[in-house]
Amino acid sequence: MRSDSSQIGGRFGEVVRIMTAVFGLALLVVLLVVIMRDGTALGTVKKSGVMHSDVRLVGEGDARHFVFTHIDSLEFGSGPIPALGDTVLKVGDSTATPAYWGATINAPMPPDTQIFLTYRGALGDKTALITARNMERLTYAMLLIIEWLRYLVALGFVGVGLWAFFAQPNSRQVRAFAWFCFSMTSLMIAGVSAISDNYATFSVPGWGYVESVLQAIFAAFGSYWLSLQLLFPHPVRLLRRFPVPVYLVAFLPLLLYLTGEIGEGLGLLGKDLADSSRNLGAIGSVVALVIGFVISAVRLARKKDRVEKRQLSIVLWGTVLGLGCMIGLIFTMQLFREWFDAAPMRTLIGVNIAFALLLLTPISYAYAFGRYRLLEVQSRIRRGTRYVLTTVLVFALLLAVVYAIGEYALGQFGIRGNLPTMAIAIVLALGIGPARRKLQSTIEQRYYPERQRLRDTLQHFLDRTASFANQHSFWIQLEERIRDSLGVDTVHPVLAGNGGGFHLRELQATPFHCQSDFVLNLGKVRRPLFVDEMIASGRTAISDDELDWLSSNGVALVLPLMAQQKLTGFLAIGYKNENEDYAAEEITVLSSLAPQVALAAENLRLAEENIEKRRLEEQMQMARRIQEGFLPRELPVTPGLVCAAHSRFSLEVAGDYYDLIPLEGNRTVLAIADVSGKGAGAALLMANLQASLRTAVEIGIPLSRAVERVNELIHRNTPPEQYITFVAAIFDPAHNELTYVNAGHNPPFIIRASGHIDELPATGLILGALPGMKYEQDTMRLFEGDTLVMFTDGVSEPMNSGDEEFGEPRIRELVAQCRTCSPAELIERIESAVNSFCGRVPYEDDSTLLVVRRV
């Protein structure tokens, strides 16, 4: 039995889904056609002659007739002029029925067309001649605004209804919401119109049937609203227990309306009884609307869940401010009908205000259901409502002043043109912006003082940014201000660190990383996010570790901190005391001040980095002076040799090394090395190398054995990734012998006096790579006129703008050409050639040259 019920319910739900989709899309098509049709009517009425006096249809049934509600004496000329309340009897020779009036008066006619009207007044029946004139520009502008607002409202409702339905077609709440939107769209299409269809250049086929369907749909707009409140966000208990009776009562207004329509159409009901049924349906729809508001307000007051509370709040605010205010304004216009009828411009202004208010409703729904930005939307609705209300109020005052001055000028001075009125309107329009801002500021200070207090507190704090000594004190003070201003227990600044991780101000690690979905989403949306909303919506993936951290720290709100389009961290703010929810104004203030907080914190960070950078630069300069002390300031006396050397550092301190060490027997040690890496670490390793070499050779240890001991020392005291390429040679002038060890360094070469070149190839592995390495030493002869060139890879490997390397062949070619030059001149030639080759490309490595000549 339950299975059969489920199948029936499933089939019924499928039918409802299909009906909703088909009707919604058809409604959109009808709306677009009506917009095109009414667009042609607007163009026609602008060029057509119209009657400037106004009439209203009164009475019931066959006794209906037109009475004058506004008289424009200018269009009656010198003939008889009717009075307010006089009854129109004939148009020309025909009775003034509604159909004939629409076909002749509310229809296109050339300007200056003259029409005879027979009317009955206190002095009996009279015939007046009226002359049609072009519509006044101000009146036409107001009609144009009304029509465009009407289209915007209709497009807004049908658009958001279809959007929500196709996003979640299986949700009963969404379907009820969609049908409520469709009913409001139907109202805008078939229930209101500022211009007669007779002015359109084309008619819609079957419009009578379409209009009847749309009127039936919008007759039940209160029922759709009530059903939405019974379902949203969860069905009420009464609906779950008695669904059929509840829906029958909710849609009773629609049943009464259809009874009147169908009963009269089939002849089952008389016109009076049918009208009574339709009127009862209209009253019932308004009652259903009010009941829906009451249910929504009661559920809002009772809800404990923050997410559902915000959902109900946004729906209630959007509808009350839009639909509720519009209905209230319509009732006001009906209650003071005579006052509005006395000046048609008042009616036009009232309708514009009503449509402007109604436009808030689909806008609020679009934000709430489309983007799930619930509380922020509530703030935008309130702020937007204040903006619209103040703008409309100032605009209405502007129109009233312009209209009053225009009427006075026309009546007092007999001015018939619009130029004075337009000039006054332009002057007053210049003041509408400042006047609106002043009025809105007054409203906010009067009714929302807490927003201003919060803003002033945080702004005063940010103005004192320059007084903070460091980031630590800045964050501590900010946490205290936010806790005191918002009444929250916890505030945690979570800041971006090196390596993509995020940490607290005390540098405690957090599970957040720059590549996590949670952090990426923060950088994308750049607005406050509620943790419970993120979890409920499922649109942001939060890892288990991140969720545990947020839960354990009681985080309710996450406020991204953006500086220079980059996420520098976020504020994790806890729940408010006494189980209160965040006010919309508080979120607005935090959103507006978050970029300033991020920028202030970033400036403090940069200031600290600059201080640290200057301190480090001072230390590096000192280290460089110490390192320069390790290198020979003045080359020692080297019997039998003329020497020159030069080092260029790419950083303040470098890893290149050269040395000349005099030994007993007029011998000289020549050494050059390149420590991997650059900076302070390489310089320290170079200092160790120098000390180890000098100690070993001065106590007479053979060169190969000395290098082996240095290798052991370097391997034992440095990380595996650090190493040294190294060449050491001992020149004995007594035997013209050059004994050397090459530990993986660029091969030095000897350019003979004849131009022949001999290399000093590697005799062992680089220093520090492996322990227990054996290094061989080799010997070459160095005769008078021979030149030994030793260099690091910073000389041979610089690149030019074309990514071409200078290379060792160029060094050899240059040395061969300049072999008669002194060592100092030779170094200068090589440096000049490298500089010319590289151009403006900066050097990326240290470079060292050691050149000696046998004399």
Side-chain angles (χ1 to χ4, degrees):
M1 186 71 177
R2 183 175 299 175
S3 177
D4 294 340
S5 299
S6 300
Q7 291 179 1
I8 294 173
R11 286 195 294 267
F12 178 75
E14 182 66 25
V15 171
V16 173
R17 285 193 294 272
I18 294 174
M19 287 179 57
T20 304
V22 171
F23 183 82
L25 294 174
L27 188 63
L28 178 61
V29 173
V30 169
L31 174 60
L32 296 177
V33 173
V34 169
I35 289 175
M36 290 187 290
R37 183 198 66 184
D38 292 353
T40 65
L42 284 169
T44 303
V45 78
K46 183 178 181 181
K47 298 180 291 185
S48 178
V50 297
M51 177 177 168
H52 288 254
S53 298
D54 289 326
V55 297
R56 184 173 71 243
L57 190 64
V58 299
E60 298 291 338
D62 296 335
R64 290 188 302 171
H65 58 279
F66 289 102
V67 297
F68 283 101
T69 57
H70 173 72
I71 303 297
D72 186 343
S73 59
L74 293 178
E75 64 185 356
F76 287 94
S78 59
I81 299 177
L84 294 177
D86 288 354
T87 301
V88 180
L89 300 177
K90 291 184 178 181
V91 179
D93 296 329
S94 302
T95 303
T97 62
Y100 190 75
W101 182 273
T104 54
I105 303 300
N106 288 338
M109 68 178 78
D112 299 326
T113 298
Q114 294 185 328
I115 302 174
F116 286 98
L117 289 181
T118 302
Y119 63 92
R120 178 173 296 164
L123 301 178
D125 295 351
K126 291 184 178 296
T127 300
L129 179 66
I130 66 170
T131 303
R133 294 175 296 150
N134 287 114
M135 185 178 292
E136 293 181 354
R137 292 181 180 178
L138 185 57
T139 303
Y140 180 77
M142 295 299 292
L143 289 176
L144 192 64
I145 294 173
I146 288 174
E147 288 295 283
W148 278 111
L149 284 174
R150 171 189 165 208
Y151 302 149
L152 287 175
V153 171
L155 287 170
F157 272 113
V158 72
V160 76
L162 287 172
W163 181 14
F165 172 74
F166 283 110
Q168 293 183 344
N170 296 320
S171 170
R172 286 193 298 166
Q173 292 91 334
V174 170
R175 290 200 295 267
F177 168 73
W179 278 100
F180 171 70
C181 291
F182 296 160
S183 68
M184 296 305 299
T185 306
S186 302
L187 173 63
M188 291 294 103
I189 296 175
V192 293
S193 180
I195 300 175
S196 172
D197 297 346
N198 295 329
Y199 288 99
T201 59
F202 71 92
S203 59
V204 180
W207 176 246
Y209 297 104
V210 174
E211 191 174 30
S212 297
V213 173
L214 296 180
Q215 288 173 348
I217 295 297
F218 80 69
F221 76 95
S223 299
Y224 293 122
W225 168 252
L226 178 57
S227 66
L228 176 60
Q229 299 315 306
L230 293 172
L231 288 167
F232 182 80
H234 302 292
V236 298
R237 185 183 306 171
L238 185 65
L239 182 63
R240 292 197 298 267
R241 294 183 61 184
F242 309 105
V244 175
V246 170
Y247 277 124
L248 284 176
V249 173
F251 284 92
L252 184 59
L254 177 60
L255 296 177
L256 290 171
Y257 180 85
L258 293 177
T259 299
E261 284 289 310
I262 297 174
E264 184 181 12
L266 297 177
L268 300 177
L269 297 177
K271 182 171 180 54
D272 293 341
L273 191 57
D275 287 341
S276 298
S277 180
R278 284 190 289 262
N279 290 336
L280 284 175
I283 295 172
S285 191
V286 174
V287 171
L289 182 71
V290 173
I291 294 174
F293 283 140
V294 173
I295 292 175
S296 181
V298 171
R299 298 186 76 179
L300 177 62
R302 293 180 177 178
K303 275 294 177 184
K304 300 300 182 184
D305 184 89
R306 287 185 173 86
V307 176
E308 293 184 358
K309 198 176 184 71
R310 294 180 201 132
Q311 289 176 323
L312 288 169
S313 178
I314 187 61
V315 172
L316 184 61
W317 266 104
T319 310
V320 167
L321 294 175
L323 186 59
C325 290
M326 188 200 78
I327 293 176
L329 189 59
I330 291 175
F331 276 115
T332 301
M333 293 173 65
Q334 291 295 322
L335 186 62
F336 300 98
R337 174 179 288 184
E338 292 184 1
W339 185 80
F340 281 99
D341 287 344
M345 185 58 65
R346 298 169 185 168
T347 303
L348 295 177
I349 294 174
V351 174
N352 271 316
I353 294 175
F355 282 0
L357 292 172
L358 186 58
L359 187 59
L360 294 174
T361 301
I363 291 175
S364 66
Y365 291 160
Y367 276 108
F369 293 98
R371 299 188 181 179
Y372 204 68
R373 297 162 67 168
L374 300 177
L375 188 59
E376 182 180 353
V377 174
Q378 180 181 343
S379 172
R380 292 189 176 189
I381 289 175
R382 293 179 179 176
R383 185 172 66 250
T385 303
R386 291 194 293 269
Y387 179 88
V388 171
L389 289 176
T390 54
T391 302
V392 168
L393 179 58
V394 174
F395 185 67
L397 291 174
L398 170 66
L399 289 180
V401 172
V402 172
Y403 181 72
I405 295 177
E407 287 294 313
Y408 177 79
L410 290 172
Q412 187 72 17
F413 302 106
I415 300 174
R416 304 185 62 87
N418 291 324
L419 185 59
T421 304
M422 292 179 61
I424 296 170
I426 292 173
V427 173
L428 293 178
L430 296 176
I432 190 172
R436 183 199 61 75
R437 288 192 293 270
K438 179 63 177 177
L439 181 60
Q440 185 173 345
S441 175
T442 303
I443 292 174
E444 287 193 359
Q445 291 178 5
R446 174 66 178 82
Y447 295 102
Y448 301 95
E450 71 283 354
R451 176 179 179 180
Q452 192 63 38
R453 283 198 300 269
L454 176 61
R455 183 185 297 277
D456 291 344
T457 299
L458 294 182
Q459 190 63 58
H460 177 69
F461 168 78
L462 292 174
D463 292 340
R464 295 177 49 247
T465 302
S467 65
F468 292 106
N470 50 53
Q471 294 184 80
H472 187 267
S473 60
F474 172 83
W475 290 120
I476 290 178
Q477 291 289 326
L478 180 64
E479 291 172 26
E480 292 180 358
R481 293 298 180 93
I482 294 178
R483 279 198 299 265
D484 294 342
S485 300
L486 293 178
V488 297
D489 293 329
T490 57
V491 179
H492 296 293
V494 183
L495 309 175
N498 297 327
F502 284 74
H503 58 80
L504 300 179
R505 59 175 171 80
E506 299 291 351
L507 299 181
Q508 299 99 323
T510 69
F512 304 100
H513 192 272
C514 64
Q515 295 301 319
S516 73
D517 291 338
F518 174 79
V519 173
L520 291 174
N521 188 53
L522 281 183
K524 184 184 299 181
V525 298
R526 304 180 181 186
R527 58 178 173 78
L529 294 176
F530 285 92
V531 176
D532 52 9
E533 289 182 3
M534 285 189 287
I535 296 172
S537 67
R539 295 189 177 184
T540 301
I542 306 178
S543 69
D544 292 340
D545 290 339
E546 292 172 335
L547 188 58
D548 289 343
W549 190 92
L550 294 171
S551 300
S552 61
N553 286 279
V555 178
L557 178 69
V558 177
L559 183 66
L561 300 176
M562 304 293 300
Q564 299 178 350
Q565 306 299 315
K566 180 182 178 182
L567 182 71
T568 60
F570 60 88
L571 291 179
I573 305 176
Y575 292 96
K576 298 189 69 175
N577 299 330
E578 300 179 0
N579 203 30
E580 293 181 5
D581 205 353
Y582 284 88
E585 285 72 23
E586 293 170 341
I587 300 303
T588 302
V589 171
L590 290 174
S591 299
S592 62
L593 293 180
Q596 299 179 51
V597 172
L599 185 59
E602 184 68 8
N603 289 337
L604 280 173
R605 185 187 66 81
L606 293 176
E608 289 184 10
E609 284 187 356
N610 287 334
I611 294 174
E612 180 65 20
K613 182 179 179 182
R614 287 196 298 269
R615 187 180 65 82
L616 183 60
E617 287 176 351
E618 292 174 357
Q619 293 179 352
M620 295 293 282
Q621 289 173 1
M622 181 177 294
R624 178 169 182 172
R625 289 193 295 269
I626 294 173
Q627 182 191 20
E628 288 175 346
F630 290 144
L631 301 177
R633 292 186 179 182
E634 294 182 1
L635 298 183
V637 176
T638 52
L641 297 175
V642 176
C643 304
H646 178 265
S647 281
R648 182 188 66 243
F649 301 156
S650 62
L651 296 176
E652 291 294 335
V653 290
D656 278 13
Y657 157 71
Y658 75 90
D659 207 352
L660 291 94
I661 307 171
L663 298 178
E664 294 179 354
N666 292 329
R667 294 178 304 157
T668 302
V669 177
L670 308 170
I672 192 168
D674 187 359
V675 180
S676 63
K678 296 180 284 292
L684 291 174
L685 191 56
M686 180 270 287
N688 286 332
L689 171 64
Q690 182 203 45
S692 301
L693 177 65
R694 281 179 174 264
T695 301
V697 296
E698 286 177 357
I699 62 177
I701 297 176
L703 186 59
S704 59
R705 179 63 183 153
V707 174
E708 290 172 2
R709 291 182 61 178
V710 171
N711 177 69
E712 293 296 322
L713 179 66
I714 298 300
H715 179 269
R716 187 167 54 248
N717 297 303
T718 59
E721 65 272 9
Q722 201 150 29
Y723 59 88
I724 302 174
T725 65
F726 175 64
V727 175
I730 298 178
F731 176 65
D732 184 358
H735 302 92
N736 291 327
E737 290 181 347
L738 184 71
T739 302
Y740 72 93
V741 174
N742 185 345
H745 194 77
N746 304 72
F749 60 88
I750 299 173
I751 180 78
R752 304 294 181 181
S754 62
H756 179 72
I757 293 178
D758 290 324
E759 282 190 352
L760 279 63
T763 61
L765 195 62
I766 55 178
L767 299 181
L770 295 172
M773 294 300 299
K774 298 296 183 182
Y775 290 88
E776 305 236 347
Q777 63 183 39
D778 202 353
T779 302
M780 281 197 172
R781 307 280 288 177
L782 196 64
F783 299 105
E784 183 177 348
D786 293 344
T787 301
L788 171 65
V789 180
M790 307 171 76
F791 58 92
T792 62
D793 58 9
V795 179
S796 60
E797 295 180 358
M799 310 286 283
N800 62 12
S801 57
D803 289 338
E804 181 186 2
E805 194 174 82
F806 185 75
E808 293 183 12
R810 283 190 173 89
I811 298 175
R812 295 179 182 180
E813 182 180 354
L814 181 60
V815 172
Q817 294 173 357
C818 304
R819 62 181 182 273
T820 59
C821 296
S822 68
E825 291 176 338
L826 195 55
I827 288 176
E828 185 178 345
R829 295 284 183 92
I830 294 174
E831 285 290 319
S832 177
V834 172
N835 291 335
S836 299
F837 178 80
C838 294
R840 296 183 178 180
V841 179
Y843 296 108
E844 295 182 356
D845 199 1
D846 313 322
S847 66
T848 299
L849 274 166
L850 176 59
V851 179
V852 298
R853 172 168 296 166
R854 178 73 169 96
V855 292

